[in-house]
Amino acid sequence: MTSAALGSSTATRSTASLRHRLAERGIDTSLLMLVPALVFALALFIYPFTYGIGLTLQPSAATQEKWGGGAFSNYVAFFKDSFVSDSVWLTMRLALPAALFNVLASIPMAFKLRHRFRGKKLLTTLLVLPITLGTVLTAQGLLIFAGRQGWLNRFLIQIGVIDQPLALVNNYLGVMFSLVISGFPFAFLLISSYLSGIDPSIEAAAKTMGADWKQRFRRIILPLLAPGLATTFILTFVLAFSVFPSARLVGDAMGSTRVMALMAYRAFGEQIDYPMASTIAVMMGVIELVVITAVLLWRSFLYKGSTGGKG
Amino acid sequence: MAIAASKFESLELQGVGRSFGGIDALVDLNLTVRAGEFIALLGPSGCGKSTALNCLAGLLPLTHGQILIDGKRVDTVAAENRGFGMVFQNYALFPHLSVEKNIAFGLHMRNVPKPEMKSRVAEAIALVKLEQHAKKLPGQLSGGQQQRVAIARAVVMEPRLVLMDEPLSNLDAKLRLEMRTEIRRLHQSLGLTTLYVTHDQEEALSMADRLVVLREGRVQQIGTPEELHNNPANWRVADFMGYRNLIDLDVTAVKGSAVTLEGEGFSLRGTAVLPVTVGDKARAAIRPEDLVVVSPAEPVRGANTMTATVSVVEYHGREFAVGVTSPSGRGLHVHSDHAPAIGSTVELTTDPARVLVYQADAIDMEELSVEERELAEVRR
Amino acid sequence: MTAKTATSGAHGVGSPPTPTKKRSGARAPGERSLAASPTTWFVWAGTAAFFIFLIGILVSVVVDSLGKSWFNTWLPESFSKDWYSNAWGQFQMTHIIGVTLTVAVVVIVISVLVGVPAAYLLARRNFPFKKTVTLLFLLPVLMPPITYGIPLATVMYNIGLGRTLTAVILVNLVPSIPFVIMTMTPFIEQINPTIESAARMSGASMRKVFTRILMPLLIPGILAASILVLVRTVGMFDLTFLVSGPQSDTLVVAIYRAMTAAGGGEARQLISSMAVIYTLTMMVILIVALRFVSPTQLVARVKESRED
């Protein structure tokens, strides 16, 4: 009796059945609802992905011969073949500025357009339109509208701003336009929703304490918005980094817009070099991961708590 | 106390109103506030009290009228330049700034030099007893602590006016009582002119120098707590201030302000608040404390007596709140110093001076607010 | 002064507002109007430029598809609808649209059937490895489709599913299931969990709770998520392109192939007509879908009111 009293500093043992104890920790038959999703995730994502990584270590005979390096021959080829490795820089050269622009341009727009006003719904619907159009249609449209014979150039020549048509498509600019047209609405919608998640009474409080709109923006809104901005940047960057059809259709596929996705497809569909294709695909993932981690690290130094409203 | 109020002589609201989107949120508010006063804006939800406060703060524009401080118009000045401190219902603390930085924010905006800022912030924190939490973020504080930060943040700027928008409504009952005393204490020691919005009449009565009772955007009465407690201007204010017994009767005799009412099988002698004439339909309002069960121990009877049957008895510490039914079937709320048996017949008595008589205007169900309609349903 | 204020209140009941100057109630004093500062001009200029491009692109394609031939002039010399009939005949538009819709519908149905229960668990329960599972579902949304698409396509070809409809459906499921889960989880979270307890106290079994209480509440969210999946799948290029063939191309892929066919691609105007058909199809789908649901149902609600 006394020993039990002395030793009773530890919690009393539960007398519930195993089933109940498991249920306390969240394990019961309802977990079966998760199974189909898990099956799909494993079969269609995890397995192929690991298979792909394994493939990268099984270079074709031709690659091995040309680049050496044994099992890592694909990676050697990736870094040494400038035709391929340059694509990393070329993709970043497109994706980073595009993502930055989309996010930064959305901020003043979201800020100005956050209050109710007549036609707000119409404006938002129109802004969402490009998301539904898709990259291929945008590409075709850009080729016609912004091409040498297109209306844009004609108009600019007509009003005398330029005498020769500008080369706006089939180059870096063309792809950039495409990225902005498809990426900006997405960034705008996300940032608008983050902005609306900031409790308006916090701003009202700042007002009553003497802060004009510049001070309110810099000291209250921006710090509270920054984590959302980081997330938006990451998502927009992912979209831009994955650019594929536009780079071919309105870009210069073998030249200045030779993005990694194109290189990967070239290995897959044209050269039928599956290991090499997987290598490029994996490298895409890695580089993207590096950028995302950098942004997330930066974000972790910011205030991450609740912004007071339903965010 | 280093935190002293920057004073003004008078704050005048002239014909202040706000109508927007077809709704009259606030109509014709006329009020003069003296420096150092604690004014409560009181009324049910939807009555326009928060609208009035937000207009005064500059967060909402006026559509009618003007606001003057010492004769100069203030309603055209932007909110950030009015120099008022405001405490919000949900505290509105800056979630990413510490308690210290939250409080210092207003001083920062006014470019107060650093050493002075530090000492003023420290004083404000000491004033609300939050020294141990100075470096914490709002998310780490409890509701009451956040409330105190909000108050400190508002008073540290030595504003000429402090606006409080139902600051205690999100706290639990005990904390609310303590904070009520705290706010009153702060007001008395700092002397800051304060406008305080609440829907709790007990809170308003205990804290304010004067009260403004609003209903549906319109002022019903402005007065001291005694005036509102003892002499409500109309039956709606009486109802709101706790005159739970409202009885519709006919006026049968008038002599000066002394009137006799009859109906429902009994007759009552009361005092008319505004003149009535014989034959009018009147509404008598009696506080439960003033309608007392005659104690069998000391049978004291006032000029009014009637009998009723006991239906509910509530224990309230030193006395009992009793619900009775009159012979005509009307429910009344009365007080008693003993617990009568349920179902027994008791004698009630009340002093005519405490039976307030008003003109009975027809109650249009359409006009009632949601709250009022629900009350009417439950009381039937 | 005091006498005036004390009594004016009492008489104020019912009297109309004194006719002082009435002013607009839309803006707090000091708040600048929507048309004032340089940033506003920047914003409006930017929006205008954006819409000029957008409308320009759309109209150019439409005009192009309707012109007989159009190279050097502002507008085509003459108009005809031949390109459309051409496209339809030459490219078996009916078949392609059929494929696109089939893929989309199947992907939606499977994603919802698989994703909603998973979302429910993630929203309501804590279980071991929950964080890992959430990460697992998050990854396909975060990675470039090519990164998992190419290995997946390799596997498809290896098991002989290359260029089939099944493959197209399977690859599109990879981003769609997580997408449904990601959108439905917060939606479920905001449904008050105690109503499930209330239902159980009234005697409902888990299954009944799901079918009678939860599903009706989830329908708006499911519809909204379905529309988003629909738009993504119809517009999805990268994944479909990797595994599809002539019989299983969706509309976007067919257009791409036409644009990049050997020898400089098909006639530009032919492609324009296909592009217009694609846009119209997408619009019809959206209009039909939006009749059932408001797209803002998945976005945070705005708090605006400061009125009492």
Side-chain angles (χ1 to χ4, degrees):
Chain A
M1 192 70 77
T2 17
S3 57
L6 281 176
S8 61
S9 55
T10 48
T12 46
R13 265 185 154 231
S14 162
T15 50
S17 71
L18 177 66
R19 199 172 131 247
H20 277 133
R21 272 182 284 143
L22 282 178
E24 286 277 354
R25 308 189 72 224
I27 306 175
D28 58 9
T29 46
S30 64
L31 268 190
L32 287 176
M33 289 204 280
L34 204 51
V35 170
L38 280 176
V39 166
F40 273 96
L42 285 168
L44 292 178
F45 182 66
I46 298 289
Y47 167 66
F49 194 64
T50 35
Y51 174 71
I53 295 184
L55 256 192
T56 67
L57 298 172
Q58 299 165 31
S60 69
T63 321
Q64 286 212 34
E65 244 193 77
K66 188 164 180 198
W67 301 98
F72 294 95
S73 181
N74 276 323
Y75 290 98
V76 174
F78 179 84
F79 286 107
K80 286 217 168 137
D81 184 356
S82 64
F83 194 68
V84 175
S85 57
D86 282 352
S87 68
V88 177
W89 158 243
L90 290 171
T91 320
M92 291 294 268
R93 204 171 68 117
L94 273 171
L96 275 177
L100 269 173
F101 177 81
N102 283 331
V103 169
L104 292 177
S106 299
I107 299 179
M109 284 227 31
F111 199 62
K112 282 287 170 197
L113 295 178
R114 65 193 165 134
H115 300 298
R116 274 178 290 192
F117 61 90
R118 256 202 316 225
K120 178 172 182 175
K121 256 206 158 163
L122 181 65
L123 192 63
T124 355
T125 325
L126 286 178
L127 273 175
V128 179
L129 205 56
I131 300 183
T132 60
L133 293 181
T135 40
V136 176
L137 182 115
T138 314
Q140 174 76 349
L142 272 173
L143 284 173
I144 302 176
F145 176 70
R148 300 178 68 86
Q149 309 283 359
W151 288 338
L152 189 60
N153 272 316
R154 281 185 189 280
F155 177 73
L156 290 174
I157 293 179
Q158 191 92 335
I159 62 175
V161 173
I162 50 175
D163 353 274
Q164 290 291 338
L166 298 170
L168 294 173
V169 290
N170 293 120
N171 56 14
Y172 176 86
L173 273 180
V175 184
M176 195 47 109
F177 283 138
S178 168
L179 286 177
V180 170
I181 291 178
S182 52
F184 176 78
F186 176 70
F188 173 78
L189 280 182
L190 264 185
I191 292 180
S192 287
S193 100
Y194 280 117
L195 198 58
S196 69
I198 298 179
D199 187 350
S201 65
I202 294 180
E203 227 195 313
K207 248 198 230 179
T208 63
M209 299 177 81
D212 64 22
W213 77 268
K214 282 199 280 286
Q215 290 164 315
R216 290 200 301 269
F217 185 76
R218 197 162 73 86
R219 292 182 169 283
I220 305 295
I221 301 214
L222 210 50
L224 291 177
L225 196 57
L229 290 180
T231 312
T232 310
F233 176 81
I234 289 178
L235 291 174
T236 320
F237 175 77
V238 170
L239 280 180
F241 191 74
S242 325
V243 64
F244 182 11
S246 325
R248 170 77 173 76
L249 297 172
V250 280
D252 176 15
M254 288 295 118
S256 61
T257 65
R258 201 171 67 237
V259 295
M260 292 184 78
L262 278 178
M263 292 286 98
Y265 181 71
R266 176 170 155 266
F268 177 82
E270 292 167 28
Q271 300 172 329
I272 321 285
D273 184 352
Y274 293 160
M276 191 56 186
S278 290
T279 313
I280 301 180
V282 165
M283 288 309 293
M284 274 184 83
V286 166
I287 292 171
E288 200 197 70
L289 203 60
V290 167
V291 174
I292 292 181
T293 319
V295 176
L296 284 179
L297 267 177
W298 174 75
R299 192 184 112 133
S300 69
F301 290 122
L302 301 168
Y303 168 75
K304 262 186 313 171
S306 147
T307 50
K310 296 185 198 206
Chain B
M1 188 83 34
I3 297 187
S6 25
K7 295 274 191 212
F8 56 85
E9 289 291 307
S10 73
L11 163 70
E12 268 189 71
L13 282 80
Q14 294 177 348
V16 164
R18 177 170 165 83
S19 309
F20 195 66
I23 305 176
D24 294 329
L26 188 63
V27 177
D28 200 28
L29 171 60
N30 290 294
L31 180 66
T32 304
V33 180
R34 288 178 292 273
E37 263 196 302
F38 192 115
I39 304 256
L41 294 173
L42 177 65
S45 44
C47 71
K49 54 193 195 294
S50 276
T51 308
L53 204 75
N54 281 304
C55 285
L56 197 44
L59 297 170
L60 285 177
L62 298 179
T63 51
H64 301 79
Q66 44 190 13
I67 304 175
L68 306 162
I69 290 191
D70 290 339
K72 295 221 313 250
R73 275 190 77 168
V74 165
D75 52 292
T76 44
V77 175
E80 47 260 35
N81 297 326
R82 291 196 188 187
F84 299 162
M86 187 155 176
V87 180
F88 292 79
Q89 184 174 7
N90 63 354
Y91 322 134
L93 299 182
F94 306 130
H96 59 297
L97 300 177
S98 68
V99 167
E100 268 177 351
K101 295 219 176 95
N102 256 283
I103 297 178
F105 188 80
L107 300 172
H108 219 103
M109 291 299 111
R110 279 170 179 69
N111 295 316
V112 169
K114 261 210 162 164
E116 191 191 330
M117 180 157 54
K118 282 189 85 164
S119 68
R120 280 169 73 166
V121 169
E123 244 193 87
I125 290 183
L127 203 59
V128 292
K129 304 177 195 147
L130 280 174
E131 298 94 325
Q132 299 163 308
H133 308 283
K135 306 270 184 213
K136 290 194 185 163
L137 289 179
Q140 300 167 287
L141 302 175
S142 71
Q145 290 166 334
Q146 291 183 23
Q147 184 52 277
R148 281 141 64 196
V149 177
I151 293 176
R153 190 174 68 169
V155 304
V156 76
M157 295 183 296
E158 299 173 9
R160 33 193 196 158
L161 182 63
V162 175
L163 305 168
M164 298 202 184
D165 191 353
E166 303 203 51
L168 304 183
S169 57
N170 289 341
L171 302 175
D172 69 68
K174 282 183 80 173
L175 195 52
R176 209 178 305 160
L177 281 179
E178 296 294 359
M179 285 307 299
R180 211 198 279 177
T181 318
E182 263 311 293
I183 294 179
R184 187 80 182 137
R185 178 183 71 81
L186 276 174
H187 174 252
Q188 276 166 353
S189 63
L190 297 178
L192 295 170
T193 318
T194 308
L195 251 89
Y196 187 99
V197 163
T198 178
H199 61 268
D200 183 346
Q201 48 109 351
E202 204 195 299
E203 199 170 275
L205 286 175
S206 70
M207 297 174 84
D209 297 326
R210 274 194 300 153
L211 292 86
V212 177
V213 177
L214 291 154
R215 181 184 172 271
E216 307 240 311
R218 289 179 161 76
V219 174
Q220 301 294 302
Q221 187 172 358
I222 300 179
T224 62
E226 291 82 20
E227 283 166 22
L228 267 97
H229 185 270
N230 298 329
N231 302 303
N234 60 48
W235 70 265
R236 290 189 200 276
V237 177
D239 187 9
F240 191 73
M241 300 305 286
Y243 286 68
R244 287 179 78 186
N245 300 303
L246 292 168
I247 315 168
D248 283 6
L249 299 165
D250 300 315
V251 180
T252 51
V254 176
K255 188 170 171 192
S257 61
V259 298
T260 312
L261 308 167
E262 276 173 39
E264 301 204 9
F266 54 82
S267 105
L268 264 183
R269 305 243 285 275
T271 318
V273 172
L274 288 173
V276 293
T277 38
V278 176
D280 281 351
K281 287 238 177 289
R283 194 159 288 154
I286 318 175
R287 297 194 76 93
E289 307 89 85
D290 295 325
L291 190 53
V292 173
V293 172
V294 177
S295 165
E298 304 170 33
V300 176
R301 286 182 182 73
N304 280 313
T305 55
M306 58 200 273
T307 54
T309 331
V310 176
S311 52
V312 182
V313 177
E314 289 175 19
Y315 176 72
H316 273 211
R318 284 182 182 268
E319 50 174 13
F320 296 84
V322 180
V324 302
T325 323
S326 74
S328 58
R330 166 178 288 281
L332 294 170
H333 304 277
V334 307
H335 273 208
S336 170
D337 64 350
H338 62 283
I342 304 228
S344 64
T345 313
V346 291
E347 214 185 329
L348 305 170
T349 178
T350 175
D351 182 355
R354 293 310 306 149
V355 176
L356 301 181
V357 177
Y358 304 96
Q359 280 237 315
D361 43 348
I363 303 177
D364 182 0
M365 289 298 281
E366 307 287 307
E367 264 205 350
L368 295 181
S369 71
V370 176
E371 248 187 41
E372 290 172 340
R373 209 171 307 184
E374 188 162 347
L375 269 176
E377 278 172 20
V378 174
R379 283 172 177 169
R380 255 184 307 125
Chain C
M1 232 179 342
T2 1
K4 172 175 187 271
T5 50
T7 49
S8 68
H11 288 296
V13 184
S15 60
T18 42
T20 44
K21 241 189 335 179
K22 185 181 199 303
R23 307 191 284 288
S24 143
R27 237 178 343 268
E31 242 181 58
R32 285 119 87 256
S33 82
L34 223 45
S37 67
T39 354
T40 327
W41 280 117
F42 165 79
V43 166
W44 285 129
T47 324
F50 184 83
F51 280 117
I52 289 176
F53 260 82
L54 198 59
I55 296 178
I57 288 175
L58 267 178
V59 177
S60 313
V61 175
V62 174
V63 168
D64 191 42
S65 65
L66 291 172
K68 259 215 147 75
S69 74
W70 186 25
F71 288 110
N72 269 329
T73 50
W74 276 99
L75 285 176
E77 287 115 22
S78 51
F79 294 91
S80 92
K81 291 195 282 185
D82 289 345
W83 296 111
Y84 284 96
S85 28
N86 240 341
W88 218 278
Q90 190 174 347
F91 284 93
Q92 307 162 283
M93 274 286 132
T94 338
H95 175 76
I96 293 184
I97 294 182
V99 167
T100 313
L101 288 177
T102 316
V103 170
V105 169
V106 175
V107 167
I108 290 177
V109 169
I110 298 182
S111 307
V112 167
L113 283 178
V114 169
V116 172
Y120 178 79
L121 277 184
L122 286 176
R124 289 274 189 259
R125 301 280 167 81
N126 264 320
F127 47 87
F129 300 115
K130 181 171 174 174
K131 285 214 167 114
T132 326
V133 170
T134 318
L135 186 64
L136 180 62
F137 290 139
L138 194 60
L139 279 178
V141 179
L142 279 186
M143 298 171 83
I146 293 286
T147 307
Y148 61 84
I150 287 204
L152 182 56
T154 312
V155 170
M156 291 284 145
Y157 274 92
N158 279 348
I159 63 179
L161 278 179
R163 291 189 236 279
T164 60
L165 193 62
T166 324
V168 174
I169 293 175
L170 286 177
V171 296
N172 274 297
L173 281 175
V174 180
S176 300
I177 295 179
F179 188 78
V180 170
I181 295 180
M182 290 289 121
T183 19
M184 290 305 293
T185 308
F187 189 81
I188 296 178
E189 275 171 1
Q190 52 112 346
I191 296 178
N192 186 354
T194 44
I195 63 173
E196 293 171 44
S197 306
R200 285 173 60 200
M201 292 302 287
S202 306
S205 66
M206 187 64 198
R207 201 173 60 85
K208 285 243 176 81
V209 170
F210 220 88
T211 48
R212 286 180 163 278
I213 307 292
L214 277 177
M215 282 312 280
L217 290 175
L218 290 178
I219 300 274
I222 293 181
L223 284 178
S226 303
I227 291 178
L228 293 174
V229 170
L230 181 62
V231 171
R232 280 179 75 113
T233 312
V234 172
M236 165 61 78
F237 176 80
D238 302 16
L239 292 176
T240 315
F241 181 60
L242 288 176
V243 296
S244 69
Q247 287 307 308
S248 50
D249 279 343
T250 57
L251 200 39
V252 263
V253 176
I255 296 177
Y256 180 86
R257 288 204 205 275
M259 285 172 88
T260 56
E266 300 285 341
R268 191 191 68 195
Q269 284 150 304
L270 190 60
I271 294 172
S272 292
S273 62
M274 290 172 75
V276 172
I277 294 174
Y278 169 78
T279 316
L280 285 176
T281 315
M282 189 66 110
M283 296 225 166
V284 168
I285 294 177
L286 273 179
I287 291 175
V288 168
L290 283 176
R291 293 211 69 230
F292 294 101
V293 72
S294 143
T296 50
Q297 281 192 356
L298 287 180
V299 185
R301 266 174 285 144
V302 183
K303 282 199 328 200
E304 268 265 31
S305 177
R306 285 188 223 108
E307 316 256 3
D308 170 34

